Amino acid sequence: MKIGYVGKNLTLECSASTTFRLASYSEERFCATLENNLRCLLEILRFNHERGLMFFRLSSETVPFASHSVCTVDWGTRFASQFAQIGAYVRETGMRLSAHPGQFVVVNSVQEKVFESSIAELAYHAAMFDLMGLDDSHKLQIHVGGVYGDKQASLARFVERFKVLPEAVQRRLVVENDDRLFSAADCLWLHAQIGVPMVFDNLHHELLNNGESLRDALIAAIGTWGGKHGLLMVDYSSQEIGGRIGKHAPTLDAALFSAFIDEMRGLDFDIMVEIKDKEVSALRGLEVLREAGRVG
DNA sequence: GCCGGTCAAGGTCTT
DNA sequence: AAGACCTTGACCGGC
């Protein structure tokens, strides 16, 4: 069982997700920014490893404008050694990485152009993992996409689109249950069609489900992983007490998290803490796991 | 320095 | 039709 957090570290000064405005684009700016982001990424990973945080989600801004036509730099070649160095560290330490491209990646979009730009964005993320020399357990997670007034047709469109994705994307792609449109059951259906594993998000499941308990849904999600995919990835967050439905709590509630871990006793998976205060909450979660004897 | 408007990109829902 | 929200930040111009 590994636990980690998303994208940036609030303790370190170093940011692995610096970017700039499109209007400010220049080859010099691009290269300087990417060099900084990769240097900081390694620094963050070292921070994490020293403290036992073995899971980390890369920022989608690691390579600014990577999938935009403005970017003509062959960054994969130019920064190959930095990517390789990071990958070697990840492999040596046994850490796990993931990425979660944003809302503009819509594989099942009815607009062909949106699908095309989604491929470019996914390919860029996959290329980072490949440059790092990481195996297929390092995943690229997305949501199913839009409904367009016909959910079953939109699920079917996802299946057809998946089949024509680049192989480098296909083997790393995993689909997460969301909170309004596509539930765990929908992700399981996709898995049955194309074998794509399912990321389980506990809060989304509470907000959108088909009556399954959290534990049963998580067990079903585990069934979509294994082999080269590695362990199930769980996105963990909790509702802000008294906040708007779906609004994340500002920090991890250790008692709630402990209850979640207890409910999932006997099950193995990796946990991505999706909470605002990042490593603070991940470290609190790690303490809970240690007390529960779930990590070394 | 600090504040706040704005930023490549989509889709859904509310007003 | 326009704006909020998701996710959420951080750039960058203006003071």
Side-chain angles (χ1 to χ4, degrees), chain A residues 19-20 32 52 64 77 80 83 105 142 157 186 192 197 204 210 216 228 237 250 255 276-277:
Chain A
T19 182
F20 47 84
T77 301
F83 278 107
V105 170
I142 59 171
R157 194 178 320 105
D186 297 319
H204 291 169
N210 296 276
D216 285 347
K228 66 167 192 159
S237 63
K276 266 221 180 316
D277 60 1

Side-chain angles (χ1 to χ4, degrees), chain A residues 109-171:
Chain A
S109 175
V110 293
Q111 302 183 64
E112 200 64 33
K113 281 171 72 175
V114 172
F115 178 52
E116 293 302 323
S117 59
S118 297
I119 291 176
E121 183 72 359
L122 288 167
Y124 137 58
H125 285 84
M128 287 198 288
F129 290 135
D130 286 343
L131 285 163
M132 291 178 190
L134 300 178
D135 67 34
D136 293 347
S137 67
H138 303 266
K139 293 300 190 187
L140 203 41
Q141 77 185 78
I142 59 171
H143 293 288
V144 180
V147 169
Y148 309 97
D150 186 340
K151 193 167 154 184
Q152 192 52 46
S154 294
L155 279 165
R157 194 178 320 105
F158 187 99
V159 169
E160 294 315 307
R161 290 281 182 65
F162 178 86
K163 290 175 181 171
V164 298
L165 287 174
E167 183 272 345
V169 171
Q170 273 183 2
R171 60 191 162 81

Side-chain angles (χ1 to χ4, degrees), chain A residues 268-296:
Chain A
D268 203 7
F269 49 90
D270 292 335
I271 304 170
M272 183 58 64
V273 172
E274 283 188 329
I275 299 187
K276 266 221 180 316
D277 60 1
K278 310 289 182 187
E279 75 274 14
V280 175
S281 280
L283 287 165
R284 191 174 300 134
L286 177 59
E287 276 312 299
V288 170
L289 295 182
R290 283 179 169 153
E291 284 164 19
R294 299 301 303 264
V295 293

Side-chain angles (χ1 to χ4, degrees), chain A residues 20-287:
Chain A
F20 47 84
R21 296 296 163 83
L22 179 58
S24 308
Y25 183 91
S26 71
E27 191 168 321
E28 296 68 36
R29 183 77 183 265
F30 171 85
C31 289
T33 303
L34 178 50
E35 197 283 328
N36 172 79
N37 287 348
L38 294 178
R39 184 174 47 78
C40 289
L41 174 57
L42 186 55
E43 188 172 324
I44 291 169
L45 293 174
R46 287 190 170 122
F47 173 102
N48 292 348
H49 183 249
E50 282 169 13
R51 290 159 180 79
L53 298 175
M54 298 293 284
F55 194 17
F56 185 69
R57 183 188 296 168
L58 300 185
S59 165
S60 289
E61 293 184 309
T62 304
V63 186
F65 301 101
S67 69
H68 192 284
S69 59
V70 76
C71 179
T72 53
V73 176
D74 182 7
W75 51 270
T77 301
R78 201 138 153 188
F79 292 86
S81 66
Q82 260 184 292
F83 278 107
Q85 182 188 14
I86 292 164
Y89 185 68
V90 169
R91 292 195 307 274
E92 286 161 15
T93 54
M95 290 192 287
R96 190 183 201 186
L97 299 184
S98 67
H100 191 345
Q103 70 238 67
F104 304 109
V105 170
V106 188
V107 166
N108 77 346
S109 175
V110 293
Q111 302 183 64
E112 200 64 33
K113 281 171 72 175
V114 172
F115 178 52
E116 293 302 323
S117 59
S118 297
I119 291 176
E121 183 72 359
L122 288 167
Y124 137 58
H125 285 84
M128 287 198 288
F129 290 135
D130 286 343
L131 285 163
M132 291 178 190
L134 300 178
D135 67 34
D136 293 347
S137 67
H138 303 266
K139 293 300 190 187
L140 203 41
Q141 77 185 78
I142 59 171
H143 293 288
V144 180
V147 169
Y148 309 97
D150 186 340
K151 193 167 154 184
Q152 192 52 46
S154 294
L155 279 165
R157 194 178 320 105
F158 187 99
V159 169
E160 294 315 307
R161 290 281 182 65
F162 178 86
K163 290 175 181 171
V164 298
L165 287 174
E167 183 272 345
V169 171
Q170 273 183 2
R171 60 191 162 81
R172 294 191 192 274
L173 201 67
V174 293
V175 179
E176 176 191 353
N177 60 309
D178 70 68
D179 58 349
R180 293 177 305 137
L181 306 175
F182 295 99
S183 67
D186 297 319
C187 295
L188 293 173
W189 184 85
L190 284 179
H191 173 258
Q193 308 304 309
I194 50 180
V196 64
M198 166 193 166
V199 174
F200 182 69
D201 184 305
N202 75 303
L203 182 57
H204 291 169
H205 184 72
E206 286 174 32
L207 297 171
L208 177 70
N209 60 67
N210 296 276
E212 329 89 317
S213 71
L214 212 53
R215 183 178 170 90
D216 285 347
L218 189 143
I219 288 171
I222 286 176
T224 68
W225 294 72
K228 66 167 192 159
H229 297 305
L231 286 182
L232 163 70
M233 301 187 337
V234 170
D235 282 353
Y236 180 86
S237 63
S238 56
Q239 170 79 43
E240 179 170 24
I241 307 296
R244 181 178 40 73
I245 298 298
K247 183 169 174 58
H248 289 197
T251 193
L252 184 134
D253 182 322
L256 268 183
F257 182 66
S258 182
F260 173 76
I261 292 305
D262 184 54
E263 189 177 348
M264 303 307 160
R265 62 191 169 279
L267 305 173
D268 203 7
F269 49 90
D270 292 335
I271 304 170
M272 183 58 64
V273 172
E274 283 188 329
I275 299 187
K276 266 221 180 316
D277 60 1
K278 310 289 182 187
E279 75 274 14
V280 175
S281 280
L283 287 165
R284 191 174 300 134
L286 177 59
E287 276 312 299

